[in-house]
Amino acid sequence: MPQFRMGSTVDRLDRPSSYAMSKYKRKRRHSNSERAPSPDPMDKLANATTLYVGNLSFYTTEEQIHELFGKCGGIKRLIMGLDRFHKTPCGFCFVEYYTHQDALDCMKYVGGTKLDERIIRCDLDEGFAEGRQYGRGKSGGQVRDEYREEFDPGRGGFGKKIMEERERYADEYD
């Protein structure tokens, strides 16, 4: 009787997410051929101790994050994502653990759970560098919030582009 090897139906947690891979591919495509090639994301994440945490409510506090994420291991540092112009929370943070295993445990047990009525997402990160705590959207927050079309009270209402269109419409027809 032939032997069949079954592949795992669960992805490894220490692999780069589709977001990280698309970022890596963009970097490679736009990099100068004279420069040394950027390292493989698998190498950077092999011992990563930092998590990127997204889809947070704008009203989630550092204390709430510390309480939830501290259940998986000792937190070395917590950096809240801020609106670049207003310096208010904008829906993401970085959680740095002391060990790689604690970061993996957190992804496994905390990622995909609810905090402040929002399903949070966790992703291994290559490590925090100064400046990454600020939103990269034109308005100072996160880019995805600028294009959001639905009302989301946990992230400040409608997206920035929708609000601009509504204001422009109101100005034209008032």
Side-chain angles (χ1 to χ4, degrees):
M1 192 159 168
Q3 293 279 338
F4 292 102
R5 287 187 61 193
M6 294 187 64
S8 173
T9 58
V10 179
D11 287 338
R12 290 179 40 180
L13 293 176
D14 58 351
R15 291 178 43 91
S17 67
S18 57
Y19 170 76
M21 287 305 293
S22 67
K23 189 168 96 174
Y24 171 72
K25 287 176 184 173
R26 276 193 310 272
K27 265 188 191 176
R28 286 191 61 195
R29 189 176 25 208
H30 297 295
S31 69
N32 188 346
S33 59
E34 294 174 13
R35 281 192 267 162
S38 58
D40 185 359
M42 289 297 287
D43 294 341
K44 286 185 173 184
L45 300 180
N47 293 308
T49 59
T50 304
L51 291 180
Y52 168 85
V53 181
N55 203 35
L56 294 172
S57 168
F58 289 179
Y59 308 105
T60 300
T61 64
E62 284 187 43
E63 290 80 16
Q64 289 173 291
I65 294 167
H66 205 282
E67 182 180 337
L68 177 62
F69 285 79
K71 295 179 188 302
C72 295
I75 295 176
K76 184 175 184 179
R77 185 165 61 153
L78 173 64
I79 300 107
M80 292 295 290
L82 300 174
D83 182 291
R84 190 171 9 140
F85 304 121
H86 302 102
K87 306 301 187 250
T88 56
C90 68
F92 70 96
C93 73
F94 296 94
V95 179
E96 187 176 349
Y97 286 95
Y98 288 100
T99 68
H100 178 66
Q101 189 58 51
D102 287 347
L104 290 178
D105 288 346
C106 186
M107 283 181 57
K108 183 176 179 181
Y109 298 116
V110 177
T113 61
K114 276 190 173 184
L115 178 61
D116 274 350
E117 299 301 315
R118 304 189 60 78
I119 297 174
I120 56 174
R121 56 187 173 83
C122 300
D123 213 353
L124 279 177
D125 191 81
E126 59 193 51
F128 177 76
E130 191 59 40
R132 289 189 66 206
Q133 73 267 33
Y134 299 115
R136 296 187 177 150
K138 291 178 184 172
S139 65
Q142 288 188 286
V143 174
R144 64 185 282 243
D145 286 322
E146 293 181 353
Y147 296 97
R148 184 173 17 85
E149 294 180 3
E150 73 282 351
F151 182 79
D152 188 343
R155 292 184 72 88
F158 286 104
K160 301 276 190 234
K161 298 288 184 190
I162 299 300
M163 290 305 293
E164 288 171 5
E165 286 178 23
R166 286 178 175 220
E167 288 172 9
R168 196 169 33 250
Y169 181 81
D171 289 345
E172 287 178 19
Y173 296 102
D174 278 348

PDB file of all heavy atoms in Angstrom, residues 121-136:
ATOM      1  N   ARG A 121      -5.368  41.977  14.676  1.00  0.00           N
ATOM      2  CA  ARG A 121      -4.498  41.091  13.909  1.00  0.00           C
ATOM      3  C   ARG A 121      -3.057  41.332  14.331  1.00  0.00           C
ATOM      4  O   ARG A 121      -2.651  42.464  14.559  1.00  0.00           O
ATOM      5  CB  ARG A 121      -4.687  41.262  12.415  1.00  0.00           C
ATOM      6  CG  ARG A 121      -4.491  42.630  11.888  1.00  0.00           C
ATOM      7  CD  ARG A 121      -4.871  42.720  10.410  1.00  0.00           C
ATOM      8  NE  ARG A 121      -4.816  44.088   9.984  1.00  0.00           N
ATOM      9  CZ  ARG A 121      -3.704  44.708   9.609  1.00  0.00           C
ATOM     10  NH1 ARG A 121      -2.566  44.067   9.568  1.00  0.00           N
ATOM     11  NH2 ARG A 121      -3.734  45.967   9.249  1.00  0.00           N
ATOM     12  N   CYS A 122      -2.342  40.235  14.459  1.00  0.00           N
ATOM     13  CA  CYS A 122      -0.939  40.289  14.884  1.00  0.00           C
ATOM     14  C   CYS A 122      -0.068  39.711  13.788  1.00  0.00           C
ATOM     15  O   CYS A 122      -0.443  38.749  13.131  1.00  0.00           O
ATOM     16  CB  CYS A 122      -0.727  39.459  16.152  1.00  0.00           C
ATOM     17  SG  CYS A 122      -1.687  39.997  17.545  1.00  0.00           S
ATOM     18  N   ASP A 123       1.096  40.288  13.628  1.00  0.00           N
ATOM     19  CA  ASP A 123       2.036  39.855  12.608  1.00  0.00           C
ATOM     20  C   ASP A 123       3.445  40.030  13.147  1.00  0.00           C
ATOM     21  O   ASP A 123       3.727  41.053  13.785  1.00  0.00           O
ATOM     22  CB  ASP A 123       1.858  40.743  11.375  1.00  0.00           C
ATOM     23  CG  ASP A 123       2.112  40.036  10.078  1.00  0.00           C
ATOM     24  OD1 ASP A 123       2.562  38.882  10.106  1.00  0.00           O
ATOM     25  OD2 ASP A 123       1.864  40.653   9.028  1.00  0.00           O
ATOM     26  N   LEU A 124       4.317  39.062  12.911  1.00  0.00           N
ATOM     27  CA  LEU A 124       5.712  39.242  13.301  1.00  0.00           C
ATOM     28  C   LEU A 124       6.274  40.440  12.559  1.00  0.00           C
ATOM     29  O   LEU A 124       5.916  40.689  11.408  1.00  0.00           O
ATOM     30  CB  LEU A 124       6.552  38.010  12.952  1.00  0.00           C
ATOM     31  CG  LEU A 124       6.482  36.847  13.914  1.00  0.00           C
ATOM     32  CD1 LEU A 124       7.313  35.686  13.382  1.00  0.00           C
ATOM     33  CD2 LEU A 124       6.952  37.231  15.302  1.00  0.00           C
ATOM     34  N   ASP A 125       7.140  41.177  13.211  1.00  0.00           N
ATOM     35  CA  ASP A 125       7.721  42.366  12.620  1.00  0.00           C
ATOM     36  C   ASP A 125       9.232  42.304  12.765  1.00  0.00           C
ATOM     37  O   ASP A 125       9.737  41.754  13.731  1.00  0.00           O
ATOM     38  CB  ASP A 125       7.170  43.607  13.330  1.00  0.00           C
ATOM     39  CG  ASP A 125       7.524  44.879  12.606  1.00  0.00           C
ATOM     40  OD1 ASP A 125       6.825  45.204  11.637  1.00  0.00           O
ATOM     41  OD2 ASP A 125       8.499  45.527  13.014  1.00  0.00           O
ATOM     42  N   GLU A 126       9.941  42.879  11.824  1.00  0.00           N
ATOM     43  CA  GLU A 126      11.404  42.806  11.851  1.00  0.00           C
ATOM     44  C   GLU A 126      12.017  43.636  12.961  1.00  0.00           C
ATOM     45  O   GLU A 126      13.197  43.538  13.236  1.00  0.00           O
ATOM     46  CB  GLU A 126      11.976  43.231  10.499  1.00  0.00           C
ATOM     47  CG  GLU A 126      11.586  44.631  10.100  1.00  0.00           C
ATOM     48  CD  GLU A 126      11.887  44.914   8.642  1.00  0.00           C
ATOM     49  OE1 GLU A 126      11.495  44.129   7.780  1.00  0.00           O
ATOM     50  OE2 GLU A 126      12.515  45.965   8.379  1.00  0.00           O
ATOM     51  N   GLY A 127      11.226  44.443  13.624  1.00  0.00           N
ATOM     52  CA  GLY A 127      11.717  45.240  14.739  1.00  0.00           C
ATOM     53  C   GLY A 127      11.375  46.701  14.564  1.00  0.00           C
ATOM     54  O   GLY A 127      11.298  47.213  13.451  1.00  0.00           O
ATOM     55  N   PHE A 128      11.157  47.359  15.675  1.00  0.00           N
ATOM     56  CA  PHE A 128      10.764  48.755  15.653  1.00  0.00           C
ATOM     57  C   PHE A 128      11.962  49.651  15.391  1.00  0.00           C
ATOM     58  O   PHE A 128      13.041  49.447  15.927  1.00  0.00           O
ATOM     59  CB  PHE A 128      10.119  49.131  16.991  1.00  0.00           C
ATOM     60  CG  PHE A 128       9.762  50.571  17.078  1.00  0.00           C
ATOM     61  CD1 PHE A 128       8.655  51.063  16.415  1.00  0.00           C
ATOM     62  CD2 PHE A 128      10.559  51.454  17.781  1.00  0.00           C
ATOM     63  CE1 PHE A 128       8.334  52.414  16.466  1.00  0.00           C
ATOM     64  CE2 PHE A 128      10.251  52.800  17.852  1.00  0.00           C
ATOM     65  CZ  PHE A 128       9.130  53.278  17.189  1.00  0.00           C
ATOM     66  N   ALA A 129      11.762  50.632  14.553  1.00  0.00           N
ATOM     67  CA  ALA A 129      12.764  51.670  14.314  1.00  0.00           C
ATOM     68  C   ALA A 129      12.060  53.014  14.477  1.00  0.00           C
ATOM     69  O   ALA A 129      10.890  53.152  14.099  1.00  0.00           O
ATOM     70  CB  ALA A 129      13.344  51.554  12.906  1.00  0.00           C
ATOM     71  N   GLU A 130      12.745  53.970  15.049  1.00  0.00           N
ATOM     72  CA  GLU A 130      12.152  55.284  15.290  1.00  0.00           C
ATOM     73  C   GLU A 130      11.530  55.837  14.012  1.00  0.00           C
ATOM     74  O   GLU A 130      12.116  55.757  12.940  1.00  0.00           O
ATOM     75  CB  GLU A 130      13.224  56.246  15.816  1.00  0.00           C
ATOM     76  CG  GLU A 130      12.673  57.546  16.347  1.00  0.00           C
ATOM     77  CD  GLU A 130      11.681  57.377  17.482  1.00  0.00           C
ATOM     78  OE1 GLU A 130      11.903  56.507  18.356  1.00  0.00           O
ATOM     79  OE2 GLU A 130      10.677  58.099  17.486  1.00  0.00           O
ATOM     80  N   GLY A 131      10.327  56.359  14.130  1.00  0.00           N
ATOM     81  CA  GLY A 131       9.599  56.904  12.987  1.00  0.00           C
ATOM     82  C   GLY A 131       8.486  55.994  12.510  1.00  0.00           C
ATOM     83  O   GLY A 131       7.533  56.442  11.887  1.00  0.00           O
ATOM     84  N   ARG A 132       8.583  54.706  12.810  1.00  0.00           N
ATOM     85  CA  ARG A 132       7.559  53.760  12.351  1.00  0.00           C
ATOM     86  C   ARG A 132       6.285  53.862  13.177  1.00  0.00           C
ATOM     87  O   ARG A 132       5.280  53.255  12.823  1.00  0.00           O
ATOM     88  CB  ARG A 132       8.085  52.320  12.407  1.00  0.00           C
ATOM     89  CG  ARG A 132       9.125  52.051  11.345  1.00  0.00           C
ATOM     90  CD  ARG A 132       9.478  50.597  11.260  1.00  0.00           C
ATOM     91  NE  ARG A 132       8.346  49.819  10.795  1.00  0.00           N
ATOM     92  CZ  ARG A 132       8.163  48.528  11.070  1.00  0.00           C
ATOM     93  NH1 ARG A 132       9.045  47.881  11.795  1.00  0.00           N
ATOM     94  NH2 ARG A 132       7.116  47.883  10.634  1.00  0.00           N
ATOM     95  N   GLN A 133       6.301  54.618  14.277  1.00  0.00           N
ATOM     96  CA  GLN A 133       5.116  54.722  15.109  1.00  0.00           C
ATOM     97  C   GLN A 133       4.082  55.681  14.521  1.00  0.00           C
ATOM     98  O   GLN A 133       2.974  55.759  15.004  1.00  0.00           O
ATOM     99  CB  GLN A 133       5.463  55.146  16.542  1.00  0.00           C
ATOM    100  CG  GLN A 133       5.871  56.602  16.697  1.00  0.00           C
ATOM    101  CD  GLN A 133       7.371  56.799  16.597  1.00  0.00           C
ATOM    102  OE1 GLN A 133       8.066  56.100  15.866  1.00  0.00           O
ATOM    103  NE2 GLN A 133       7.887  57.768  17.326  1.00  0.00           N
ATOM    104  N   TYR A 134       4.429  56.389  13.451  1.00  0.00           N
ATOM    105  CA  TYR A 134       3.517  57.364  12.875  1.00  0.00           C
ATOM    106  C   TYR A 134       2.791  56.790  11.664  1.00  0.00           C
ATOM    107  O   TYR A 134       3.366  56.064  10.865  1.00  0.00           O
ATOM    108  CB  TYR A 134       4.269  58.638  12.471  1.00  0.00           C
ATOM    109  CG  TYR A 134       4.920  59.304  13.649  1.00  0.00           C
ATOM    110  CD1 TYR A 134       6.294  59.398  13.747  1.00  0.00           C
ATOM    111  CD2 TYR A 134       4.147  59.805  14.692  1.00  0.00           C
ATOM    112  CE1 TYR A 134       6.892  59.996  14.842  1.00  0.00           C
ATOM    113  CE2 TYR A 134       4.729  60.396  15.793  1.00  0.00           C
ATOM    114  CZ  TYR A 134       6.102  60.489  15.864  1.00  0.00           C
ATOM    115  OH  TYR A 134       6.677  61.068  16.953  1.00  0.00           O
ATOM    116  N   GLY A 135       1.499  57.147  11.553  1.00  0.00           N
ATOM    117  CA  GLY A 135       0.711  56.727  10.406  1.00  0.00           C
ATOM    118  C   GLY A 135       1.305  57.265   9.121  1.00  0.00           C
ATOM    119  O   GLY A 135       1.920  58.337   9.110  1.00  0.00           O
ATOM    120  N   ARG A 136       1.122  56.547   8.022  1.00  0.00           N
ATOM    121  CA  ARG A 136       1.733  56.930   6.755  1.00  0.00           C
ATOM    122  C   ARG A 136       0.751  57.484   5.735  1.00  0.00           C
ATOM    123  O   ARG A 136       1.104  57.718   4.597  1.00  0.00           O
ATOM    124  CB  ARG A 136       2.466  55.722   6.169  1.00  0.00           C
ATOM    125  CG  ARG A 136       3.605  55.314   7.069  1.00  0.00           C
ATOM    126  CD  ARG A 136       4.438  54.253   6.447  1.00  0.00           C
ATOM    127  NE  ARG A 136       5.552  53.974   7.331  1.00  0.00           N
ATOM    128  CZ  ARG A 136       6.137  52.818   7.443  1.00  0.00           C
ATOM    129  NH1 ARG A 136       5.735  51.811   6.714  1.00  0.00           N
ATOM    130  NH2 ARG A 136       7.140  52.651   8.261  1.00  0.00           N
TER     131      ARG A 136
END
